[in-house]
Amino acid sequence: MQILIEGLNFPEGPAFDTDGGVWLVEKNAGNLVYYRDPHYARIFVGGYPNGIAIDPKGKVWFCDAKQNSIRQYDPLSKGCITLAHKIADIPLKMPNDLCFDPNGNLLFTCPGSDLTDGEGYICCLSKEGALKKVYTGMFYCNGLAFGRDNEHFFVAETGTKWIWKMTWDICTHTISRSEKFAYVGGSVGPDGIAVDRDGLLYVALYGSAKIIVLRPSGEIVNEIDIEGNNPTNCALDPLGKQGLLITEAEKGTLLQWGSTKKGLLW
């Protein structure tokens, strides 16, 4: 385990771009952070930026838990815009994490105010700009990621400490089936999620100083211990060169764990 960056103010949401660079956020400082070994730069965007997803054009999409919005940063123009902030004139409830489906539609979680209120929900922002809720009644839905088959996606429900597996209909933008996939426990519960090309699921276990690795069948195959109790999220290098990168909030670090496993780019 190596430390790549120290002194970060609640880091979250690492994501690789096509050039091998890594984007993450400093939630409590209102910054995006761009890392390209061995250098990094902070980009102030305000709010509380959280999860990150990079689209095929290299634009950085991120949740903002303070402005209750989905925002986008363009590294070329240096511009930042808001793409969604309300459903039927009701503000989004603290967007947390996000990912794209194979057709370019965006899925994101809104966890609610606490772990036990059951007011969390999942939204879809279509590539045409239509926004709707697709799943409700969750206990702090958090990280999410598509599996390698692009038909199923996984959601961390921090309040219950379960990982859910959901079947996604790309044409209708609906969830046709949802089921509990794996109970991961922990002091607080699961946070961010990453999937590799072999179908292994990497779960940041917030409050428990570890990353849990699950088989496609749901069994735990590995536990990666880290420095710091609060891993928030993780990402695998799609090229298999930089290993698993982990954001950790207690000590404020970006960590690197050596692995040749390859992550999914989108």
Side-chain angles (χ1 to χ4, degrees), residues 122-139:
I122 303 171
C123 290
C124 175
L125 177 62
S126 75
K127 60 183 178 182
E128 293 80 22
L131 177 62
K132 67 176 182 178
K133 293 181 183 181
V134 294
Y135 202 86
T136 60
M138 300 200 76
F139 292 89

Side-chain angles (χ1 to χ4, degrees), residues 92-105:
L92 295 171
K93 198 159 189 177
M94 299 175 64
N96 188 294
D97 204 358
L98 68 177
C99 66
F100 289 103
D101 77 6
N103 283 359
N105 304 298

Side-chain angles (χ1 to χ4, degrees), residues 114-177:
D114 59 55
L115 299 179
T116 60
D117 63 14
E119 295 182 359
Y121 55 89
I122 303 171
C123 290
C124 175
L125 177 62
S126 75
K127 60 183 178 182
E128 293 80 22
L131 177 62
K132 67 176 182 178
K133 293 181 183 181
V134 294
Y135 202 86
T136 60
M138 300 200 76
F139 292 89
Y140 212 92
C141 47
N142 204 324
L144 75 170
F146 269 91
R148 58 178 178 174
D149 62 4
N150 288 322
E151 180 184 355
H152 300 92
F153 69 93
F154 299 91
V155 183
E157 189 175 37
T158 311
T160 63
K161 303 180 182 180
W162 275 90
I163 305 298
W164 287 75
K165 183 178 182 180
M166 300 189 178
T167 304
W168 180 243
D169 189 316
I170 294 177
C171 297
T172 62
H173 306 163
T174 57
I175 293 169
S176 59
R177 182 180 179 183

Side-chain angles (χ1 to χ4, degrees), residues 176-238:
S176 59
R177 182 180 179 183
S178 63
E179 59 186 331
K180 289 180 175 178
F181 174 70
Y183 180 81
V184 294
S187 174
V188 178
D191 197 332
I193 295 175
V195 179
D196 72 19
R197 294 189 191 178
D198 293 326
L200 295 177
L201 194 70
Y202 300 72
V203 181
L205 207 56
Y206 192 90
S208 298
K210 63 180 64 179
I211 305 294
I212 297 289
V213 185
L214 303 172
R215 297 184 189 275
S217 53
E219 296 91 357
I220 295 176
V221 66
N222 195 9
E223 296 187 10
I224 304 167
D225 295 323
I226 70 165
E227 290 292 327
N229 286 317
N230 299 333
T232 58
N233 213 330
C234 55
L236 280 154
D237 181 1

Side-chain angles (χ1 to χ4, degrees), residues 19-31:
D19 296 324
V22 179
W23 290 87
L24 57 145
V25 305
E26 281 186 291
K27 180 180 176 182
N28 290 347
N31 292 324

